[in-house]
Amino acid sequence: MMIQLPRRLLLCFIAVVGIGLLALFVVCTALQIQTPWEKPTRFHMKHYRLYYHKNNIHNSLNYQLYSENEEIIADDQLSSENELEIIEKLRQNLINKLSSHNKPDITEDLERNSVDQSDLPDSSNSKYTQPDITNLNTNPSRTVPENGTEIIIPVKPTMAEFFGDQYAVDDVPSQTDCPNNIRKRVPQTNFSEMFLQTIPVLQWAKHFTPKEYQRLKRYGGSHGWGNVSVDVFVFSLGILNTSANRLMFDDWEQRKSRSQCIRCAVVGNGGILNGSKKGKEIDEHDYVFRVNGALLKGFEEDVGSRTSFYTFSTNTMRNSMNNYGGLGYRGPPVTEETRYIFLPDHDRDYILMRAAATHTVIEKGPESSKTPPKYFGENVTVKNFKMYHPDFVRYLRNRFLHSSRLKTGARKIYRPTTGAVMLLAALHTCDQVDAYGFMTPNWTSFSDHYYDKKRKPVIFYANHDMQMEMKLWKELHEAGLINLFTRN
Protein backbone atom coordinates (compact mmCIF):
# COMPACT_ATOMS: atom_id res chain seq x y z
CA MET A 1 0.00 0.00 0.00
CA MET A 2 2.83 2.39 0.84
CA ILE A 3 4.30 1.96 -2.66
CA GLN A 4 1.03 2.26 -4.68
CA LEU A 5 -0.21 5.52 -3.08
CA PRO A 6 2.49 7.82 -4.58
CA ARG A 7 1.82 6.33 -8.01
CA ARG A 8 -1.87 7.15 -7.78
CA LEU A 9 -1.06 10.71 -6.71
CA LEU A 10 1.35 11.05 -9.63
CA LEU A 11 -1.28 9.86 -12.11
CA CYS A 12 -3.81 12.26 -10.66
CA PHE A 13 -1.36 15.11 -10.92
CA ILE A 14 -0.61 14.30 -14.58
CA ALA A 15 -4.33 14.15 -15.36
CA VAL A 16 -4.97 17.51 -13.71
CA VAL A 17 -2.06 19.13 -15.61
CA GLY A 18 -3.28 17.64 -18.90
CA ILE A 19 -6.81 18.92 -18.34
CA GLY A 20 -5.40 22.35 -17.48
CA LEU A 21 -3.29 22.51 -20.63
CA LEU A 22 -6.23 21.43 -22.75
CA ALA A 23 -8.40 24.13 -21.19
CA LEU A 24 -5.66 26.71 -21.79
CA PHE A 25 -5.45 25.70 -25.46
CA VAL A 26 -9.22 25.99 -25.85
CA VAL A 27 -9.20 29.45 -24.28
CA CYS A 28 -6.31 30.64 -26.49
CA THR A 29 -8.04 29.36 -29.59
CA ALA A 30 -11.29 31.04 -28.67
CA LEU A 31 -9.54 34.35 -28.02
CA GLN A 32 -7.36 34.01 -31.17
CA ILE A 33 -4.18 34.40 -29.10
CA GLN A 34 -1.14 33.19 -30.97
CA THR A 35 0.66 30.57 -28.92
CA PRO A 36 4.45 30.68 -28.97
CA TRP A 37 4.84 27.28 -30.63
CA GLU A 38 2.59 28.18 -33.60
CA LYS A 39 4.05 29.51 -36.85
CA PRO A 40 2.59 32.85 -38.01
CA THR A 41 0.28 32.71 -40.99
CA ARG A 42 1.10 34.60 -44.20
CA PHE A 43 -1.07 36.77 -46.36
CA HIS A 44 -0.75 39.60 -48.85
CA MET A 45 -1.39 43.13 -47.72
CA LYS A 46 -0.71 46.63 -48.93
CA HIS A 47 2.87 47.73 -48.38
CA TYR A 48 3.53 51.45 -48.51
CA ARG A 49 6.60 53.13 -49.93
CA LEU A 50 7.60 56.76 -49.93
CA TYR A 51 8.29 58.66 -53.12
CA TYR A 52 9.58 62.20 -53.54
CA HIS A 53 9.71 64.75 -56.25
CA LYS A 54 10.18 68.51 -56.48
CA ASN A 55 7.46 70.63 -57.99
CA ASN A 56 9.14 73.25 -60.19
CA ILE A 57 5.94 75.28 -60.52
CA HIS A 58 5.30 75.79 -56.81
CA ASN A 59 8.89 75.23 -55.67
CA SER A 60 7.57 72.85 -53.05
CA LEU A 61 8.37 69.33 -52.03
CA ASN A 62 5.64 66.80 -52.73
CA TYR A 63 5.49 63.32 -51.31
CA GLN A 64 3.41 60.45 -52.66
CA LEU A 65 2.46 57.20 -51.01
CA TYR A 66 1.60 54.26 -53.20
CA SER A 67 0.92 50.62 -52.53
CA GLU A 68 2.18 47.41 -54.01
CA ASN A 69 1.53 43.79 -53.11
CA GLU A 70 4.15 42.40 -50.81
CA GLU A 71 4.07 39.29 -48.63
CA ILE A 72 4.56 40.03 -44.93
CA ILE A 73 4.02 38.19 -41.64
CA ALA A 74 0.91 39.04 -39.66
CA ASP A 75 -1.81 37.29 -37.65
CA ASP A 76 -4.82 38.63 -39.51
CA GLN A 77 -5.68 40.86 -42.46
CA LEU A 78 -5.62 44.53 -41.54
CA SER A 79 -8.85 46.47 -41.64
CA SER A 80 -9.21 49.82 -43.37
CA GLU A 81 -8.78 51.49 -39.98
CA ASN A 82 -5.44 49.71 -39.57
CA GLU A 83 -4.32 50.92 -43.00
CA LEU A 84 -5.18 54.48 -42.09
CA GLU A 85 -3.16 54.11 -38.90
CA ILE A 86 -0.16 53.02 -40.98
CA ILE A 87 -0.61 55.98 -43.30
CA GLU A 88 -0.88 58.35 -40.34
CA LYS A 89 2.36 56.98 -38.88
CA LEU A 90 4.10 57.50 -42.22
CA ARG A 91 2.72 61.03 -42.37
CA GLN A 92 4.05 61.80 -38.89
CA ASN A 93 7.45 60.37 -39.84
CA LEU A 94 7.51 62.66 -42.88
CA ILE A 95 6.59 65.70 -40.80
CA ASN A 96 9.30 64.84 -38.25
CA LYS A 97 11.83 64.41 -41.03
CA LEU A 98 10.91 67.71 -42.64
CA SER A 99 11.04 69.59 -39.36
CA SER A 100 14.52 68.28 -38.60
CA HIS A 101 15.99 69.42 -41.93
CA ASN A 102 15.88 72.87 -43.45
CA LYS A 103 16.14 71.32 -46.90
CA PRO A 104 15.45 67.58 -46.87
CA ASP A 105 18.01 65.44 -48.59
CA ILE A 106 16.16 62.34 -49.69
CA THR A 107 18.62 60.95 -52.23
CA GLU A 108 19.09 57.88 -50.07
CA ASP A 109 15.33 57.32 -49.93
CA LEU A 110 15.11 57.60 -53.69
CA GLU A 111 17.73 54.96 -54.20
CA ARG A 112 16.26 52.64 -51.59
CA ASN A 113 12.75 52.95 -52.93
CA SER A 114 13.50 52.89 -56.65
CA VAL A 115 11.37 50.50 -58.68
CA ASP A 116 12.43 48.84 -61.89
CA GLN A 117 10.08 49.41 -64.80
CA SER A 118 9.58 45.69 -65.37
CA ASP A 119 8.23 45.15 -61.86
CA LEU A 120 5.22 47.41 -62.14
CA PRO A 121 1.73 46.18 -63.05
CA ASP A 122 0.07 47.16 -66.30
CA SER A 123 -3.02 49.31 -66.69
CA SER A 124 -3.62 49.38 -70.42
CA ASN A 125 -7.32 48.67 -70.03
CA SER A 126 -8.00 52.29 -69.06
CA LYS A 127 -5.85 54.05 -71.63
CA TYR A 128 -6.99 57.60 -71.03
CA THR A 129 -7.26 57.43 -67.24
CA GLN A 130 -4.31 58.97 -65.45
CA PRO A 131 -2.89 57.28 -62.37
CA ASP A 132 -3.32 59.13 -59.10
CA ILE A 133 0.29 60.26 -59.00
CA THR A 134 1.27 63.89 -58.46
CA ASN A 135 3.31 65.00 -61.46
CA LEU A 136 6.21 67.40 -61.66
CA ASN A 137 4.75 68.67 -64.90
CA THR A 138 1.24 69.40 -63.72
CA ASN A 139 -0.02 72.37 -61.71
CA PRO A 140 -1.67 70.68 -58.71
CA SER A 141 -4.91 72.14 -57.44
CA ARG A 142 -4.17 71.15 -53.85
CA THR A 143 -3.47 73.86 -51.29
CA VAL A 144 0.20 74.06 -50.32
CA PRO A 145 0.86 74.81 -46.62
CA GLU A 146 2.77 77.93 -45.67
CA ASN A 147 5.98 76.01 -45.10
CA GLY A 148 5.97 75.05 -48.79
CA THR A 149 5.59 71.36 -48.05
CA GLU A 150 2.67 69.24 -49.15
CA ILE A 151 1.94 65.82 -47.69
CA ILE A 152 -0.32 63.78 -49.97
CA ILE A 153 -2.20 61.09 -48.06
CA PRO A 154 -4.64 59.11 -50.21
CA VAL A 155 -7.68 57.65 -48.48
CA LYS A 156 -7.11 54.49 -50.45
CA PRO A 157 -3.59 53.62 -51.62
CA THR A 158 -3.05 54.05 -55.35
CA MET A 159 -1.52 51.43 -57.61
CA ALA A 160 1.83 52.30 -59.21
CA GLU A 161 0.51 51.59 -62.71
CA PHE A 162 3.21 53.53 -64.53
CA PHE A 163 6.89 53.83 -63.71
CA GLY A 164 8.33 57.24 -63.01
CA ASP A 165 5.24 59.19 -64.13
CA GLN A 166 6.88 62.40 -62.93
CA TYR A 167 8.61 64.76 -65.33
CA ALA A 168 10.57 67.97 -65.52
CA VAL A 169 8.90 71.15 -66.76
CA ASP A 170 10.17 72.80 -69.94
CA ASP A 171 9.90 76.56 -70.28
CA VAL A 172 10.38 76.64 -74.06
CA PRO A 173 7.66 78.95 -75.48
CA SER A 174 5.68 78.27 -78.64
CA GLN A 175 7.54 79.55 -81.69
CA THR A 176 4.39 80.71 -83.52
CA ASP A 177 1.00 82.32 -82.91
CA CYS A 178 -0.82 79.70 -84.95
CA PRO A 179 -4.55 80.15 -84.19
CA ASN A 180 -5.45 76.47 -84.54
CA ASN A 181 -2.37 74.55 -83.52
CA ILE A 182 -2.36 71.07 -82.01
CA ARG A 183 -1.90 72.26 -78.43
CA LYS A 184 -5.04 74.37 -78.68
CA ARG A 185 -7.06 71.45 -80.10
CA VAL A 186 -5.95 68.85 -77.56
CA PRO A 187 -8.27 70.01 -74.70
CA GLN A 188 -11.32 69.20 -76.85
CA THR A 189 -10.20 65.59 -77.42
CA ASN A 190 -9.91 62.37 -75.44
CA PHE A 191 -6.17 63.04 -75.18
CA SER A 192 -6.56 66.10 -72.95
CA GLU A 193 -5.78 64.35 -69.64
CA MET A 194 -2.76 62.43 -70.91
CA PHE A 195 -1.17 65.29 -72.89
CA LEU A 196 1.38 67.47 -71.08
CA GLN A 197 1.83 70.87 -72.69
CA THR A 198 5.19 71.55 -71.02
CA ILE A 199 6.92 68.17 -71.22
CA PRO A 200 10.61 68.65 -72.21
CA VAL A 201 10.94 67.09 -75.66
CA LEU A 202 14.66 67.80 -76.00
CA GLN A 203 17.45 67.66 -73.44
CA TRP A 204 20.40 69.99 -73.40
CA ALA A 205 23.15 71.23 -71.07
CA LYS A 206 20.74 73.01 -68.71
CA HIS A 207 19.07 69.75 -67.75
CA PHE A 208 22.19 68.12 -66.34
CA THR A 209 22.34 68.89 -62.61
CA PRO A 210 23.26 66.63 -59.67
CA LYS A 211 19.61 66.44 -58.58
CA GLU A 212 18.41 65.57 -62.06
CA TYR A 213 21.11 62.93 -62.37
CA GLN A 214 20.00 61.34 -59.09
CA ARG A 215 16.39 61.34 -60.29
CA LEU A 216 16.96 60.04 -63.81
CA LYS A 217 19.67 57.48 -63.15
CA ARG A 218 16.96 55.24 -61.63
CA TYR A 219 15.72 54.50 -65.15
CA GLY A 220 17.68 52.64 -67.79
CA GLY A 221 17.78 52.72 -71.56
CA SER A 222 16.05 55.60 -73.32
CA HIS A 223 13.88 56.22 -70.23
CA GLY A 224 16.63 57.71 -68.08
CA TRP A 225 20.33 58.13 -67.44
CA GLY A 226 20.93 54.81 -65.72
CA ASN A 227 23.32 53.59 -68.43
CA VAL A 228 25.45 56.73 -68.55
CA SER A 229 28.19 57.74 -66.12
CA VAL A 230 28.63 61.25 -64.78
CA ASP A 231 31.88 61.84 -66.64
CA VAL A 232 30.22 60.98 -69.97
CA PHE A 233 27.47 63.52 -69.23
CA VAL A 234 29.92 66.26 -68.34
CA PHE A 235 31.96 65.43 -71.41
CA SER A 236 29.05 65.12 -73.88
CA LEU A 237 25.73 66.65 -72.85
CA GLY A 238 27.55 69.78 -71.73
CA ILE A 239 28.32 70.81 -75.31
CA LEU A 240 24.59 71.04 -76.17
CA ASN A 241 24.35 74.57 -74.82
CA THR A 242 23.06 76.64 -77.75
CA SER A 243 19.53 77.69 -78.69
CA ALA A 244 19.81 75.32 -81.65
CA ASN A 245 20.04 72.40 -79.21
CA ARG A 246 17.16 73.68 -77.12
CA LEU A 247 14.63 74.55 -79.84
CA MET A 248 13.23 72.03 -82.29
CA PHE A 249 12.82 74.62 -85.06
CA ASP A 250 16.00 76.58 -84.41
CA ASP A 251 16.01 78.34 -87.82
CA TRP A 252 12.33 79.33 -87.88
CA GLU A 253 12.86 82.99 -86.94
CA GLN A 254 15.55 83.37 -89.61
CA ARG A 255 13.34 82.09 -92.43
CA LYS A 256 12.22 84.88 -94.79
CA SER A 257 9.06 83.19 -96.07
CA ARG A 258 7.66 81.54 -92.98
CA SER A 259 3.95 80.95 -92.58
CA GLN A 260 1.73 81.57 -89.55
CA CYS A 261 1.81 77.91 -88.57
CA ILE A 262 4.62 75.33 -88.60
CA ARG A 263 3.52 72.49 -90.91
CA CYS A 264 5.39 69.22 -90.49
CA ALA A 265 5.53 66.09 -92.65
CA VAL A 266 6.51 63.06 -90.58
CA VAL A 267 7.64 60.26 -92.89
CA GLY A 268 7.92 56.63 -91.87
CA ASN A 269 9.37 53.90 -94.06
CA GLY A 270 6.20 51.87 -94.64
CA GLY A 271 5.44 50.19 -97.95
CA ILE A 272 2.25 52.24 -98.24
CA LEU A 273 4.38 55.02 -99.78
CA ASN A 274 5.59 52.93 -102.72
CA GLY A 275 3.83 54.34 -105.78
CA SER A 276 2.03 56.98 -103.72
CA LYS A 277 3.36 60.00 -105.67
CA LYS A 278 3.42 61.97 -102.38
CA GLY A 279 6.99 63.27 -102.71
CA LYS A 280 6.15 66.80 -103.85
CA GLU A 281 3.46 67.17 -101.19
CA ILE A 282 5.88 66.05 -98.48
CA ASP A 283 8.62 68.47 -99.55
CA GLU A 284 6.19 71.41 -99.51
CA HIS A 285 5.93 71.26 -95.71
CA ASP A 286 7.95 73.63 -93.53
CA TYR A 287 9.82 70.70 -91.97
CA VAL A 288 10.23 67.03 -92.89
CA PHE A 289 10.95 64.35 -90.26
CA ARG A 290 12.53 61.00 -91.23
CA VAL A 291 13.75 57.97 -89.31
CA ASN A 292 16.33 55.17 -89.47
CA GLY A 293 16.67 53.59 -92.94
CA ALA A 294 15.25 56.58 -94.80
CA LEU A 295 16.40 55.71 -98.32
CA LEU A 296 15.67 58.65 -100.66
CA LYS A 297 17.65 58.19 -103.88
CA GLY A 298 15.39 56.80 -106.55
CA PHE A 299 12.24 57.22 -104.44
CA GLU A 300 11.91 61.02 -104.46
CA GLU A 301 8.63 60.93 -106.38
CA ASP A 302 6.99 58.91 -103.60
CA VAL A 303 8.73 60.14 -100.44
CA GLY A 304 10.34 63.48 -101.31
CA SER A 305 13.94 64.57 -101.06
CA ARG A 306 14.16 66.93 -98.06
CA THR A 307 15.15 65.93 -94.54
CA SER A 308 14.86 68.54 -91.80
CA PHE A 309 15.11 66.13 -88.86
CA TYR A 310 16.55 62.63 -88.78
CA THR A 311 15.60 60.58 -85.69
CA PHE A 312 17.73 57.57 -84.71
CA SER A 313 19.80 55.90 -82.06
CA THR A 314 23.36 54.82 -82.74
CA ASN A 315 22.20 51.23 -82.71
CA THR A 316 19.25 51.70 -85.09
CA MET A 317 21.37 53.77 -87.48
CA ARG A 318 24.07 51.11 -87.69
CA ASN A 319 21.47 48.37 -88.08
CA SER A 320 19.88 50.30 -90.94
CA MET A 321 23.24 50.66 -92.65
CA ASN A 322 23.86 46.92 -92.31
CA ASN A 323 20.37 45.77 -93.30
CA TYR A 324 19.66 48.19 -96.15
CA GLY A 325 23.15 48.82 -97.49
CA GLY A 326 22.44 46.47 -100.37
CA LEU A 327 19.48 48.67 -101.36
CA GLY A 328 21.61 51.80 -101.41
CA TYR A 329 21.29 53.15 -97.86
CA ARG A 330 24.69 54.51 -96.83
CA GLY A 331 23.76 56.44 -93.70
CA PRO A 332 21.83 59.49 -92.49
CA PRO A 333 20.84 62.17 -95.01
CA VAL A 334 23.50 64.87 -95.22
CA THR A 335 22.23 68.32 -96.20
CA GLU A 336 22.63 71.85 -94.93
CA GLU A 337 19.06 71.73 -93.62
CA THR A 338 19.30 68.46 -91.74
CA ARG A 339 19.33 68.29 -87.93
CA TYR A 340 20.11 64.98 -86.21
CA ILE A 341 18.01 63.96 -83.20
CA PHE A 342 19.47 61.17 -81.07
CA LEU A 343 17.13 58.82 -79.21
CA PRO A 344 19.80 57.87 -76.67
CA ASP A 345 19.54 54.49 -74.96
CA HIS A 346 23.21 53.98 -74.11
CA ASP A 347 26.35 55.99 -73.40
CA ARG A 348 27.54 55.31 -76.95
CA ASP A 349 24.92 57.80 -78.22
CA TYR A 350 26.35 60.59 -76.09
CA ILE A 351 29.91 59.64 -77.03
CA LEU A 352 29.15 59.55 -80.76
CA MET A 353 27.31 62.87 -80.62
CA ARG A 354 30.25 64.67 -79.06
CA ALA A 355 32.83 63.09 -81.34
CA ALA A 356 30.82 63.97 -84.46
CA ALA A 357 30.10 67.53 -83.30
CA THR A 358 33.72 68.26 -82.33
CA HIS A 359 35.33 66.17 -85.11
CA THR A 360 37.35 64.09 -82.67
CA VAL A 361 38.08 60.38 -82.64
CA ILE A 362 36.36 57.73 -80.52
CA GLU A 363 39.06 55.63 -78.92
CA LYS A 364 36.90 52.83 -77.49
CA GLY A 365 33.61 51.12 -78.21
CA PRO A 366 31.76 49.94 -81.36
CA GLU A 367 32.21 53.33 -83.09
CA SER A 368 35.95 53.59 -82.40
CA SER A 369 38.17 54.53 -85.33
CA LYS A 370 41.37 56.37 -86.11
CA THR A 371 39.44 59.25 -87.67
CA PRO A 372 36.42 61.26 -86.48
CA PRO A 373 33.00 59.78 -87.37
CA LYS A 374 31.78 60.77 -90.84
CA TYR A 375 28.14 59.70 -90.61
CA PHE A 376 26.86 63.28 -90.61
CA GLY A 377 29.21 64.91 -93.11
CA GLU A 378 32.35 67.01 -92.93
CA ASN A 379 30.71 70.34 -92.07
CA VAL A 380 28.47 69.30 -89.20
CA THR A 381 28.70 71.31 -85.95
CA VAL A 382 27.16 71.06 -82.51
CA LYS A 383 24.21 73.15 -83.77
CA ASN A 384 23.17 70.25 -85.99
CA PHE A 385 22.52 67.92 -83.06
CA LYS A 386 19.61 67.47 -80.68
CA MET A 387 18.67 64.77 -78.17
CA TYR A 388 15.31 63.55 -76.96
CA HIS A 389 14.82 64.01 -73.24
CA PRO A 390 14.43 60.70 -71.33
CA ASP A 391 11.42 62.16 -69.51
CA PHE A 392 9.72 62.60 -72.87
CA VAL A 393 10.39 59.01 -73.96
CA ARG A 394 9.20 57.64 -70.61
CA TYR A 395 6.11 59.85 -70.78
CA LEU A 396 5.26 58.42 -74.20
CA ARG A 397 5.67 54.87 -72.93
CA ASN A 398 3.60 55.58 -69.83
CA ARG A 399 0.71 57.51 -71.31
CA PHE A 400 0.47 57.04 -75.07
CA LEU A 401 1.99 53.61 -75.64
CA HIS A 402 1.38 51.66 -72.44
CA SER A 403 1.30 48.25 -74.09
CA SER A 404 -0.39 45.09 -72.86
CA ARG A 405 2.97 43.42 -73.58
CA LEU A 406 4.08 44.77 -70.23
CA LYS A 407 2.00 41.91 -68.78
CA THR A 408 4.05 39.33 -70.68
CA GLY A 409 7.60 38.06 -70.71
CA ALA A 410 8.43 40.80 -73.23
CA ARG A 411 7.98 43.55 -70.65
CA LYS A 412 11.73 43.94 -70.07
CA ILE A 413 12.48 44.57 -73.73
CA TYR A 414 9.33 46.45 -74.77
CA ARG A 415 9.76 50.01 -76.03
CA PRO A 416 7.96 52.29 -78.51
CA THR A 417 9.37 52.22 -82.03
CA THR A 418 11.78 54.97 -83.04
CA GLY A 419 9.23 56.12 -85.60
CA ALA A 420 6.57 56.41 -82.88
CA VAL A 421 8.83 58.64 -80.78
CA MET A 422 9.48 60.80 -83.85
CA LEU A 423 5.78 61.19 -84.71
CA LEU A 424 4.77 61.99 -81.13
CA ALA A 425 7.66 64.48 -80.85
CA ALA A 426 6.23 66.26 -83.88
CA LEU A 427 2.79 66.16 -82.25
CA HIS A 428 4.24 68.02 -79.25
CA THR A 429 6.19 70.65 -81.22
CA CYS A 430 4.58 71.28 -84.63
CA ASP A 431 1.40 73.28 -85.23
CA GLN A 432 0.13 70.84 -87.87
CA VAL A 433 1.26 67.26 -88.54
CA ASP A 434 0.80 65.14 -91.67
CA ALA A 435 1.97 61.55 -91.18
CA TYR A 436 3.08 59.38 -94.11
CA GLY A 437 4.41 55.83 -94.22
CA PHE A 438 3.01 54.69 -90.86
CA MET A 439 1.01 51.54 -90.26
CA THR A 440 -2.69 51.76 -91.12
CA PRO A 441 -5.53 49.19 -90.94
CA ASN A 442 -4.90 48.24 -94.58
CA TRP A 443 -1.27 47.36 -93.88
CA THR A 444 -1.59 43.84 -95.35
CA SER A 445 -1.94 45.41 -98.81
CA PHE A 446 1.64 46.71 -98.79
CA SER A 447 5.21 45.53 -98.39
CA ASP A 448 7.14 46.15 -95.18
CA HIS A 449 9.14 49.10 -96.62
CA TYR A 450 8.63 51.38 -99.60
CA TYR A 451 12.11 50.53 -100.90
CA ASP A 452 11.74 46.71 -100.81
CA LYS A 453 12.72 45.23 -104.17
CA LYS A 454 10.44 42.28 -103.54
CA ARG A 455 7.26 42.27 -101.52
CA LYS A 456 8.00 41.45 -97.86
CA PRO A 457 5.36 40.89 -95.17
CA VAL A 458 5.42 43.08 -92.08
CA ILE A 459 7.16 41.33 -89.19
CA PHE A 460 5.99 41.99 -85.64
CA TYR A 461 8.76 41.76 -83.06
CA ALA A 462 8.28 41.27 -79.33
CA ASN A 463 10.08 44.48 -78.35
CA HIS A 464 7.49 46.69 -80.13
CA ASP A 465 3.70 46.81 -80.21
CA MET A 466 3.00 48.05 -83.72
CA GLN A 467 -0.66 47.05 -83.59
CA MET A 468 -1.15 49.34 -80.60
CA GLU A 469 0.76 52.12 -82.38
CA MET A 470 -1.46 51.70 -85.44
CA LYS A 471 -4.53 52.10 -83.24
CA LEU A 472 -3.06 55.25 -81.71
CA TRP A 473 -2.39 56.83 -85.12
CA LYS A 474 -5.99 56.12 -86.10
CA GLU A 475 -7.29 57.71 -82.89
CA LEU A 476 -5.10 60.80 -83.31
CA HIS A 477 -6.32 61.11 -86.89
CA GLU A 478 -9.98 60.81 -85.88
CA ALA A 479 -9.42 63.38 -83.11
CA GLY A 480 -8.12 65.86 -85.69
CA LEU A 481 -4.64 66.07 -84.13
CA ILE A 482 -2.79 64.56 -87.10
CA ASN A 483 -3.62 63.85 -90.72
CA LEU A 484 -2.71 60.20 -91.40
CA PHE A 485 -2.07 59.11 -94.97
CA THR A 486 -4.11 55.91 -95.44
CA ARG A 487 -4.15 55.63 -99.26
CA ASN A 488 -7.84 54.77 -99.37
Side-chain angles (χ1 to χ4, degrees), residues 2 33 53 77 87 103 190 201 248 259 280 298 313 369 393:
M2 294 298 293
I33 298 176
H53 59 78
Q77 187 164 357
I87 293 175
K103 188 175 183 181
N190 289 332
V201 177
M248 182 67 78
S259 58
K280 184 175 182 296
S313 70
S369 67
V393 181

Side-chain angles (χ1 to χ4, degrees), residues 55 57-62 139-152:
N55 188 315
I57 299 176
H58 290 288
N59 195 27
S60 64
L61 299 178
N62 295 326
N139 193 343
S141 59
R142 302 175 179 87
T143 301
V144 181
E146 293 181 359
N147 62 2
T149 301
E150 178 183 12
I151 306 297
I152 303 171

Side-chain angles (χ1 to χ4, degrees), residues 47-228:
H47 172 70
Y48 299 93
R49 288 187 179 182
L50 169 65
Y51 263 76
Y52 154 91
H53 59 78
K54 184 174 181 180
N55 188 315
N56 289 338
I57 299 176
H58 290 288
N59 195 27
S60 64
L61 299 178
N62 295 326
Y63 290 82
Q64 175 70 49
L65 294 170
Y66 81 91
S67 66
E68 65 177 11
N69 290 328
E70 182 169 302
E71 191 176 43
I72 67 169
I73 297 176
D75 59 344
D76 198 358
Q77 187 164 357
L78 294 181
S79 64
S80 59
E81 289 80 8
N82 296 134
E83 290 186 351
L84 291 176
E85 289 178 5
I86 294 176
I87 293 175
E88 178 60 24
K89 289 180 180 179
L90 287 172
R91 188 183 73 85
Q92 291 296 334
N93 289 338
L94 283 173
I95 293 174
N96 294 336
K97 184 172 184 176
L98 290 171
S99 62
S100 61
H101 296 82
N102 292 330
K103 188 175 183 181
D105 182 5
I106 42 67
T107 300
E108 185 177 344
D109 289 335
L110 281 172
E111 291 303 307
R112 183 168 56 252
N113 293 325
S114 62
V115 180
D116 185 80
Q117 57 182 341
S118 61
D119 294 332
L120 297 181
D122 179 72
S123 179
S124 55
N125 292 332
S126 55
K127 181 176 180 181
Y128 299 118
T129 302
Q130 295 308 310
D132 185 15
I133 298 179
T134 300
N135 195 291
L136 276 164
N137 209 310
T138 58
N139 193 343
S141 59
R142 302 175 179 87
T143 301
V144 181
E146 293 181 359
N147 62 2
T149 301
E150 178 183 12
I151 306 297
I152 303 171
I153 305 297
V155 176
K156 292 184 179 180
T158 59
M159 293 301 295
E161 297 172 340
F162 301 174
F163 80 102
D165 196 32
Q166 307 165 10
Y167 315 100
V169 174
D170 204 341
D171 56 359
V172 176
S174 176
Q175 293 184 249
T176 69
D177 295 321
C178 183
N180 191 31
N181 66 22
I182 291 173
R183 288 170 293 283
K184 292 177 181 177
R185 298 198 299 270
V186 164
Q188 286 77 49
T189 71
N190 289 332
F191 293 91
S192 59
E193 292 184 1
M194 64 198 300
F195 194 101
L196 294 180
Q197 300 277 357
T198 55
I199 185 74
V201 177
L202 301 174
Q203 63 173 327
W204 59 300
K206 181 195 77 169
H207 292 113
F208 180 58
T209 66
K211 280 189 175 181
E212 281 296 273
Y213 185 74
Q214 289 296 324
R215 179 176 72 88
L216 288 172
K217 78 174 185 178
R218 296 188 298 158
Y219 312 114
S222 59
H223 301 122
W225 293 342
N227 298 342
V228 188

